[in-house]
Amino acid sequence: MNIKILLFGRLTELLGQSVLHMEDVSDTNTLAQRLSSQYPGLAQIKYQVAVNQEIIHGNKALTDGMTVALMPPFSGG
Amino acid sequence: MAVKGKERYARQMILKDFGPAGQQKLYNAKVLVIGAGGLGCPILQYLAAAGVGTLGIVDHDVVELSNLHRQILYSVADVGRLKADCAAEKLSLFNPDINIIAYPLELSNQNAALIMSKFDIIIDGSDNFPTRYMVNDACALLHLPLIYGALSESEGQVAIFNVSDADGRKVNYRDIFPNPPQPGEVLNCAEAGVLGVLPGIIGTMQAAEAIKLISGTGEPLINQMLIYNLYNNSTYKVNLSPDEASQRNLPSDLDAFLQTDYNWFCGIRATTSQIEELSPGEFREMLFDEDYEIIDVREDGELPEATFDHIRIPLSEIRKQVPAIDKDKVILFCHSGVRSILAGEILQEVYPGKEFYSLKGGILRLN
């Protein structure tokens, strides 16, 4: 099972890349927890999650081949 | 009103999806642009050029030299002038047939609803979270379509809020980001930097969405957010959906909106303070417990005078020199519960072993 993770805004800088892959992750909460333990700075940052280009509210189950996007808010204008 | 200057708009009027009907709709539209900066300049320039009949401009800032690499409506001679006035003057030269209204003032929750309700579409070109949440909430309460755009270094987001899709669903900013980030968590253009073309691209996208939405052309970004990356030219589109939990965070009505302090909402103390807040009921129960020191952090002479036992150490004094405190448990209060949290944070740093509490809502809420 492979999940593709797309990073946006400051998350790209924080994680040093714009695309990640994660194996064997059952849901979006587990994915977020695993990323936060790998990249401690991430726990301090708010972001919204989309799965296969659909915004989610709460936790969502993941299956092989899904794409998860992590999108922080932007303020600049 | 009838469209003037057919020749001026000929190239868009011959488009079969737009046509004379689309032009008439633009001429009848009233669009308010919040912010006449990086995003606001291209939004205003293209909407004025396209013949939007009434354009409002809200901005309280003046033109600075460091604005000119991206705010291409202004020139060196404009440095120091109010952006709203300067933009209005230039736009009326671009297109004398449209009505331009400048609001050279700071948009606040006290004036937002009054100004915004004179328009039928709002475009957010602001550069900070308090304004973004305030504009979003006002638009949600007033049922005004909002065309959102925001930047972060090399990326931009664009979306349309408060417009129902085919299923009757509509979303707003809080469905994506229910609560603001902490100050410093997200950098703005002044802090992080931005290439001048990025607001040009994102602002132009916002103008395009406005024109599409007004004229009924194409597929506007209703209930969708587009993310554009300048560096690698990628775009990513996300479908949005309403979230009941987020909706509950919206002010319930305009009265609640008027009471909302958006700077406070987006401020560091709102999200990260370790100081526990006490309800008036909890406060009254603890008043007579001798283990607690009760401190009024208001400045000398501030009314109403507290009628219970307490000492007064103004926040300004605490900032200069942290006072000695005998007891290990301390309840702080002030007028409305803001300064007491600030005082608590200062004291907590110096006395990590002591417990500090703050009266939520301040002495105002006690009676």
Side-chain angles (χ1 to χ4, degrees):
Chain A
M1 175 192 178
N2 188 285
I3 302 295
K4 185 180 181 182
I5 305 168
L6 302 178
L7 303 166
F8 291 93
R10 218 179 143 199
L11 299 181
T12 308
E13 199 181 310
L14 193 78
L15 276 63
Q17 49 212 318
S18 57
V19 184
L20 284 174
H21 292 272
M22 197 181 276
E23 299 288 334
D24 301 320
V25 55
S26 57
D27 56 53
T28 49
N29 280 2
T30 311
L31 181 143
Q33 281 158 16
R34 222 185 274 176
L35 279 180
S36 294
S37 59
Q38 260 178 285
Y39 304 94
L42 196 59
Q44 305 300 317
I45 292 192
K46 285 196 177 67
Y47 56 83
Q48 174 57 257
V49 180
V51 175
N52 287 355
Q53 294 183 272
E54 297 283 338
I55 198 169
I56 61 162
H57 306 292
N59 196 13
K60 184 170 171 69
L62 295 172
T63 56
D64 188 37
M66 281 183 161
T67 299
V68 176
L70 308 184
M71 310 170 296
F74 296 170
S75 70
Chain B
M1 284 196 291
V3 179
K4 294 180 194 167
K6 275 190 180 168
E7 190 184 346
R8 178 182 182 113
Y9 308 116
R11 295 297 182 275
Q12 62 195 33
M13 285 171 73
I14 58 169
L15 266 175
K16 78 174 171 350
D17 291 333
F18 185 82
Q23 193 61 53
Q24 187 63 49
K25 284 177 188 167
L26 283 194
Y27 197 67
N28 294 344
K30 295 175 182 161
V31 178
L32 180 68
V33 180
I34 316 266
L39 293 171
C41 283
I43 296 169
L44 289 164
Q45 282 166 289
Y46 271 108
L47 293 187
V52 167
T54 302
L55 268 180
I57 311 165
V58 190
D59 200 309
H60 70 288
D61 267 343
V62 294
V63 178
E64 292 175 31
L65 199 57
S66 65
N67 298 151
L68 301 187
H69 89 298
R70 64 191 187 286
Q71 300 178 20
I72 58 171
L73 192 51
Y74 312 118
S75 58
V76 178
D78 299 320
V79 170
R81 292 187 64 197
L82 281 163
K83 287 182 184 177
D85 289 343
C86 190
E89 189 183 293
K90 301 208 174 196
L91 294 171
S92 55
L93 290 173
F94 287 169
N95 193 344
D97 299 332
I98 62 171
N99 180 23
I100 297 164
I101 308 162
Y103 296 95
L105 49 81
E106 186 166 13
L107 197 70
S108 76
N109 60 338
Q110 304 302 308
N111 59 25
L114 196 68
I115 296 171
M116 288 162 71
S117 57
K118 294 177 181 160
F119 294 84
D120 31 55
I121 290 185
I122 310 297
I123 307 185
D124 183 4
S126 67
D127 62 356
N128 62 83
F129 285 113
T131 305
R132 291 190 180 283
Y133 278 93
M134 179 178 73
V135 168
N136 176 74
D137 291 359
C139 285
L141 291 169
L142 297 166
H143 307 290
L144 284 169
L146 172 62
I147 299 175
Y148 158 83
L151 312 171
S152 166
E153 287 185 64
S154 60
E155 293 177 37
Q157 297 171 338
V158 185
I160 299 180
F161 299 139
N162 299 320
V163 178
S164 297
D165 62 16
D167 299 325
R169 297 187 312 169
K170 51 186 177 181
V171 301
N172 67 70
Y173 189 61
R174 287 181 185 261
D175 292 307
I176 318 174
F177 303 112
N179 289 300
Q182 296 162 22
E185 189 184 309
V186 176
L187 303 178
N188 64 27
C189 298
E191 295 158 332
V194 67
L195 285 176
V197 287
L198 181 64
I201 292 167
I202 300 300
T204 303
M205 283 182 175
Q206 288 178 275
E209 290 308 302
I211 290 169
K212 285 157 63 184
L213 188 66
I214 294 164
S215 64
T217 309
E219 295 167 34
L221 285 166
I222 295 166
N223 293 354
Q224 291 184 312
M225 180 166 73
L226 181 127
I227 307 175
Y228 170 80
N229 184 314
L230 178 84
Y231 287 173
N232 63 20
N233 283 306
S234 65
T235 56
Y236 196 73
K237 219 152 72 168
V238 175
N239 293 317
L240 307 174
S241 55
D243 178 31
E244 268 180 45
S246 305
Q247 296 305 321
R248 283 198 293 273
N249 289 340
L250 275 174
S252 52
D253 54 27
L254 282 173
D255 282 336
F257 174 74
L258 288 172
Q259 299 297 319
T260 305
D261 183 338
Y262 283 90
N263 284 319
W264 172 247
F265 173 63
C266 295
I268 193 157
R269 277 144 229 104
T271 47
T272 64
S273 179
Q274 301 299 309
I275 306 302
E276 193 181 323
E277 291 186 288
L278 302 174
S279 69
E282 290 168 323
F283 180 83
R284 280 193 204 93
E285 277 175 29
M286 291 155 93
L287 264 183
F288 304 102
D289 189 333
E290 303 242 322
D291 289 340
Y292 292 90
E293 184 84 77
I294 301 180
I295 304 177
D296 183 352
V297 300
R298 292 178 297 167
E299 300 304 308
D300 288 330
E302 276 194 65
L303 296 171
E305 193 73 58
T307 51
F308 43 83
D309 281 343
H310 69 281
I311 56 174
R312 186 179 285 216
I313 310 176
L315 177 61
S316 59
E317 297 295 320
I318 295 172
R319 282 197 160 122
K320 274 185 241 159
Q321 189 179 8
V322 172
I325 295 173
D326 296 330
K327 295 180 180 170
D328 287 326
K329 296 175 179 179
V330 182
I331 303 175
L332 303 154
F333 72 93
C334 62
H335 190 64
S336 65
V338 176
R339 284 174 289 169
S340 50
I341 289 185
L342 287 172
E345 284 172 346
I346 295 167
L347 294 168
Q348 188 78 74
E349 272 220 87
V350 179
Y351 300 112
K354 294 184 192 284
E355 291 174 30
F356 293 93
Y357 301 89
S358 168
L359 169 61
K360 192 174 185 178
I363 198 165
L364 277 180
R365 289 268 306 275
L366 268 190
N367 302 313

